[in-house]
Amino acid sequence: MTSTLASLTDYQDWLGALKQRVVSARLRVALAANSELIRFYWDLGAQIAEKQSQRQWGDKLIPPAAGPAKGLPGGGRLLP
């Protein structure tokens, strides 16, 4: 009886640790994805600012860019 109780406690401890690892892994994945999106949007903004400063693109930058962007994931929405 004691060994059964000990193995049950051992199993519960192992299962608890496993659940915590899953939660931690999910958090790390979410943080990594957010970091990559922030880098992407920062780079995109820098590219747009550079094009605008070179006067290659005028005030009507966003409407023409929105057409081709509709084929991207998210239906052309750059921000969620």
Side-chain angles (χ1 to χ4, degrees):
M1 180 83 170
T2 305
S3 69
T4 304
L5 184 58
S7 64
L8 178 61
T9 302
D10 184 48
Y11 173 75
Q12 288 174 334
D13 291 344
W14 174 80
L15 189 59
L18 182 63
K19 288 179 181 180
Q20 184 57 45
R21 287 181 58 199
V22 169
V23 168
S24 295
R26 286 180 176 170
L27 180 60
R28 285 192 309 273
V29 167
L31 290 173
N34 286 341
S35 295
E36 286 302 315
L37 280 173
I38 289 169
R39 282 189 202 104
F40 168 75
Y41 290 133
W42 184 270
D43 184 54
L44 178 62
Q47 290 178 9
I48 291 171
E50 181 181 342
K51 292 289 185 185
Q52 287 176 332
S53 72
Q54 293 173 354
R55 296 184 187 251
Q56 292 178 354
W57 294 354
D59 293 335
K60 301 201 186 263
L61 164 68
I62 300 304
K70 289 186 180 174
L72 296 174
R77 293 178 295 122
L78 294 177
L79 296 174

